[in-house]
Amino acid sequence: MTYALIRYHHDQLGWLDLESFAHAAGAHPELVTRLVALGLLEPDRDRAGALWFGPAHLVRLARIQRLRADFSVNYAALGLVLDLLDRVADLERAVRLG
């Protein structure tokens, strides 16, 4: 579980609650909850246990949606594919920085 070192309201920093995040992503909240349960999305939680999603989560969900729609990647394989894509991006960044 992640705890902030300072007190802030997530919505003041561009963070979205579950309903707002699902709406912004064009996804059903149940799908978002399923992706969290599978460990494919890792939102912050406040002290009450509410989920909060940042801009990077929107990018990740869009990637998940593309993989599902364009390549029919199943939920079991999504984690592996996402990890590999992240690793490729890290390696490309390292090459660019030389």
Side-chain angles (χ1 to χ4, degrees), residues 61-83:
L61 180 53
R63 180 178 271 181
I64 289 169
Q65 290 171 321
R66 279 194 315 273
L67 289 169
R68 296 270 304 140
D70 295 346
F71 300 105
S72 300
V73 177
N74 64 34
Y75 291 113
L78 272 173
L80 174 63
V81 172
L82 290 168
D83 288 345

Side-chain angles (χ1 to χ4, degrees), residues 52-66:
W52 291 94
F53 300 85
H57 293 108
L58 283 170
V59 173
R60 187 163 174 94
L61 180 53
R63 180 178 271 181
I64 289 169
Q65 290 171 321
R66 279 194 315 273

Side-chain angles (χ1 to χ4, degrees), residues 5-98:
L5 297 176
I6 59 172
R7 296 179 131 231
Y8 62 90
H9 295 285
H10 283 94
D11 57 344
Q12 293 175 343
L13 298 174
W15 289 74
L16 301 169
D17 65 10
L18 174 61
E19 294 292 327
S20 300
F21 176 76
H23 179 73
H28 195 281
E30 288 180 18
L31 171 62
V32 175
T33 303
R34 178 185 304 163
L35 296 174
V36 170
L38 292 170
L40 298 172
L41 289 175
E42 297 177 354
D44 282 358
R45 289 183 186 267
D46 63 18
R47 289 185 180 184
L51 302 174
W52 291 94
F53 300 85
H57 293 108
L58 283 170
V59 173
R60 187 163 174 94
L61 180 53
R63 180 178 271 181
I64 289 169
Q65 290 171 321
R66 279 194 315 273
L67 289 169
R68 296 270 304 140
D70 295 346
F71 300 105
S72 300
V73 177
N74 64 34
Y75 291 113
L78 272 173
L80 174 63
V81 172
L82 290 168
D83 288 345
L84 290 172
L85 289 172
D86 289 343
R87 177 117 171 99
V88 168
D90 291 344
L91 291 170
E92 288 175 340
R93 190 171 19 261
V95 168
R96 274 195 312 271
L97 296 176

